[in-house]
PDB file of all heavy atoms in Angstrom:
ATOM      1  N   ALA D1258     -15.297   1.487  -5.928  1.00  0.00           N
ATOM      2  CA  ALA D1258     -14.472   0.286  -5.684  1.00  0.00           C
ATOM      3  C   ALA D1258     -13.018   0.685  -5.470  1.00  0.00           C
ATOM      4  O   ALA D1258     -12.095   0.037  -5.961  1.00  0.00           O
ATOM      5  CB  ALA D1258     -14.594  -0.637  -6.879  1.00  0.00           C
ATOM      6  N   THR D1259     -12.804   1.748  -4.761  1.00  0.00           N
ATOM      7  CA  THR D1259     -11.466   2.316  -4.627  1.00  0.00           C
ATOM      8  C   THR D1259     -10.976   2.249  -3.187  1.00  0.00           C
ATOM      9  O   THR D1259     -11.726   2.535  -2.258  1.00  0.00           O
ATOM     10  CB  THR D1259     -11.495   3.782  -5.133  1.00  0.00           C
ATOM     11  OG1 THR D1259     -11.806   3.769  -6.527  1.00  0.00           O
ATOM     12  CG2 THR D1259     -10.180   4.480  -4.924  1.00  0.00           C
ATOM     13  N   SER D1260      -9.724   1.839  -3.029  1.00  0.00           N
ATOM     14  CA  SER D1260      -9.092   1.816  -1.706  1.00  0.00           C
ATOM     15  C   SER D1260      -7.922   2.789  -1.725  1.00  0.00           C
ATOM     16  O   SER D1260      -7.042   2.676  -2.588  1.00  0.00           O
ATOM     17  CB  SER D1260      -8.560   0.422  -1.391  1.00  0.00           C
ATOM     18  OG  SER D1260      -9.621  -0.502  -1.397  1.00  0.00           O
ATOM     19  N   HIS D1261      -7.951   3.722  -0.787  1.00  0.00           N
ATOM     20  CA  HIS D1261      -6.857   4.697  -0.702  1.00  0.00           C
ATOM     21  C   HIS D1261      -5.812   4.219   0.295  1.00  0.00           C
ATOM     22  O   HIS D1261      -6.157   3.827   1.411  1.00  0.00           O
ATOM     23  CB  HIS D1261      -7.370   6.046  -0.195  1.00  0.00           C
ATOM     24  CG  HIS D1261      -8.399   6.678  -1.088  1.00  0.00           C
ATOM     25  ND1 HIS D1261      -8.250   6.794  -2.446  1.00  0.00           N
ATOM     26  CD2 HIS D1261      -9.591   7.261  -0.797  1.00  0.00           C
ATOM     27  CE1 HIS D1261      -9.307   7.417  -2.951  1.00  0.00           C
ATOM     28  NE2 HIS D1261     -10.131   7.698  -1.974  1.00  0.00           N
ATOM     29  N   ILE D1262      -4.568   4.289  -0.097  1.00  0.00           N
ATOM     30  CA  ILE D1262      -3.469   3.991   0.840  1.00  0.00           C
ATOM     31  C   ILE D1262      -2.848   5.336   1.176  1.00  0.00           C
ATOM     32  O   ILE D1262      -2.412   6.072   0.269  1.00  0.00           O
ATOM     33  CB  ILE D1262      -2.426   3.041   0.195  1.00  0.00           C
ATOM     34  CG1 ILE D1262      -2.983   1.628   0.081  1.00  0.00           C
ATOM     35  CG2 ILE D1262      -1.153   2.974   1.041  1.00  0.00           C
ATOM     36  CD1 ILE D1262      -3.910   1.353  -1.017  1.00  0.00           C
ATOM     37  N   ILE D1263      -2.816   5.661   2.460  1.00  0.00           N
ATOM     38  CA  ILE D1263      -2.352   7.010   2.847  1.00  0.00           C
ATOM     39  C   ILE D1263      -1.510   6.942   4.126  1.00  0.00           C
ATOM     40  O   ILE D1263      -1.644   6.001   4.910  1.00  0.00           O
ATOM     41  CB  ILE D1263      -3.544   7.964   3.118  1.00  0.00           C
ATOM     42  CG1 ILE D1263      -4.444   7.409   4.231  1.00  0.00           C
ATOM     43  CG2 ILE D1263      -4.339   8.219   1.851  1.00  0.00           C
ATOM     44  CD1 ILE D1263      -5.329   8.454   4.866  1.00  0.00           C
ATOM     45  N   GLY D1264      -0.714   7.976   4.343  1.00  0.00           N
ATOM     46  CA  GLY D1264       0.016   8.108   5.600  1.00  0.00           C
ATOM     47  C   GLY D1264      -0.887   8.737   6.652  1.00  0.00           C
ATOM     48  O   GLY D1264      -1.877   9.402   6.318  1.00  0.00           O
ATOM     49  N   LYS D1265      -0.537   8.526   7.911  1.00  0.00           N
ATOM     50  CA  LYS D1265      -1.401   8.973   9.010  1.00  0.00           C
ATOM     51  C   LYS D1265      -1.576  10.500   9.059  1.00  0.00           C
ATOM     52  O   LYS D1265      -2.577  10.994   9.547  1.00  0.00           O
ATOM     53  CB  LYS D1265      -0.844   8.469  10.350  1.00  0.00           C
ATOM     54  CG  LYS D1265       0.539   8.985  10.671  1.00  0.00           C
ATOM     55  CD  LYS D1265       1.071   8.440  11.986  1.00  0.00           C
ATOM     56  CE  LYS D1265       2.438   9.038  12.276  1.00  0.00           C
ATOM     57  NZ  LYS D1265       3.021   8.553  13.532  1.00  0.00           N
ATOM     58  N   ASP D1266      -0.583  11.239   8.524  1.00  0.00           N
ATOM     59  CA  ASP D1266      -0.653  12.693   8.586  1.00  0.00           C
ATOM     60  C   ASP D1266      -1.761  13.265   7.701  1.00  0.00           C
ATOM     61  O   ASP D1266      -2.147  14.421   7.863  1.00  0.00           O
ATOM     62  CB  ASP D1266       0.698  13.322   8.183  1.00  0.00           C
ATOM     63  CG  ASP D1266       1.184  12.814   6.826  1.00  0.00           C
ATOM     64  OD1 ASP D1266       1.006  11.609   6.547  1.00  0.00           O
ATOM     65  OD2 ASP D1266       1.727  13.613   6.043  1.00  0.00           O
ATOM     66  N   ILE D1267      -2.246  12.463   6.747  1.00  0.00           N
ATOM     67  CA  ILE D1267      -3.273  13.012   5.848  1.00  0.00           C
ATOM     68  C   ILE D1267      -4.610  12.289   6.031  1.00  0.00           C
ATOM     69  O   ILE D1267      -5.437  12.266   5.127  1.00  0.00           O
ATOM     70  CB  ILE D1267      -2.794  13.011   4.377  1.00  0.00           C
ATOM     71  CG1 ILE D1267      -2.318  11.622   3.925  1.00  0.00           C
ATOM     72  CG2 ILE D1267      -1.651  13.999   4.196  1.00  0.00           C
ATOM     73  CD1 ILE D1267      -1.910  11.582   2.438  1.00  0.00           C
ATOM     74  N   LEU D1268      -4.789  11.735   7.231  1.00  0.00           N
ATOM     75  CA  LEU D1268      -6.010  10.985   7.508  1.00  0.00           C
ATOM     76  C   LEU D1268      -7.252  11.888   7.480  1.00  0.00           C
ATOM     77  O   LEU D1268      -8.272  11.526   6.896  1.00  0.00           O
ATOM     78  CB  LEU D1268      -5.874  10.274   8.875  1.00  0.00           C
ATOM     79  CG  LEU D1268      -7.073   9.469   9.337  1.00  0.00           C
ATOM     80  CD1 LEU D1268      -7.429   8.379   8.338  1.00  0.00           C
ATOM     81  CD2 LEU D1268      -6.801   8.839  10.711  1.00  0.00           C
ATOM     82  N   LYS D1269      -7.152  13.050   8.131  1.00  0.00           N
ATOM     83  CA  LYS D1269      -8.348  13.905   8.216  1.00  0.00           C
ATOM     84  C   LYS D1269      -8.835  14.323   6.818  1.00  0.00           C
ATOM     85  O   LYS D1269     -10.031  14.339   6.545  1.00  0.00           O
ATOM     86  CB  LYS D1269      -8.037  15.147   9.062  1.00  0.00           C
ATOM     87  CG  LYS D1269      -9.276  15.899   9.458  1.00  0.00           C
ATOM     88  CD  LYS D1269      -8.960  17.016  10.430  1.00  0.00           C
ATOM     89  CE  LYS D1269      -9.065  16.569  11.876  1.00  0.00           C
ATOM     90  NZ  LYS D1269      -8.725  17.601  12.854  1.00  0.00           N
ATOM     91  N   PHE D1270      -7.884  14.603   5.938  1.00  0.00           N
ATOM     92  CA  PHE D1270      -8.262  15.023   4.578  1.00  0.00           C
ATOM     93  C   PHE D1270      -9.003  13.896   3.844  1.00  0.00           C
ATOM     94  O   PHE D1270      -9.910  14.146   3.073  1.00  0.00           O
ATOM     95  CB  PHE D1270      -7.016  15.411   3.766  1.00  0.00           C
ATOM     96  CG  PHE D1270      -6.251  16.541   4.394  1.00  0.00           C
ATOM     97  CD1 PHE D1270      -5.136  16.305   5.193  1.00  0.00           C
ATOM     98  CD2 PHE D1270      -6.655  17.855   4.196  1.00  0.00           C
ATOM     99  CE1 PHE D1270      -4.441  17.346   5.775  1.00  0.00           C
ATOM    100  CE2 PHE D1270      -5.958  18.901   4.771  1.00  0.00           C
ATOM    101  CZ  PHE D1270      -4.855  18.648   5.579  1.00  0.00           C
ATOM    102  N   HIS D1271      -8.537  12.656   4.101  1.00  0.00           N
ATOM    103  CA  HIS D1271      -9.124  11.518   3.369  1.00  0.00           C
ATOM    104  C   HIS D1271     -10.345  10.928   4.051  1.00  0.00           C
ATOM    105  O   HIS D1271     -11.194  10.347   3.387  1.00  0.00           O
ATOM    106  CB  HIS D1271      -8.070  10.416   3.186  1.00  0.00           C
ATOM    107  CG  HIS D1271      -7.086  10.733   2.111  1.00  0.00           C
ATOM    108  ND1 HIS D1271      -6.022  11.571   2.311  1.00  0.00           N
ATOM    109  CD2 HIS D1271      -7.039  10.366   0.802  1.00  0.00           C
ATOM    110  CE1 HIS D1271      -5.345  11.692   1.183  1.00  0.00           C
ATOM    111  NE2 HIS D1271      -5.933  10.967   0.247  1.00  0.00           N
TER     112      HIS D1271
END
Side-chain angles (χ1 to χ4, degrees):
T1259 296
S1260 300
H1261 299 312
I1262 287 79
I1263 59 161
K1265 61 181 182 180
D1266 53 321
I1267 54 177
L1268 179 59
K1269 193 173 269 178
F1270 300 98
H1271 283 80

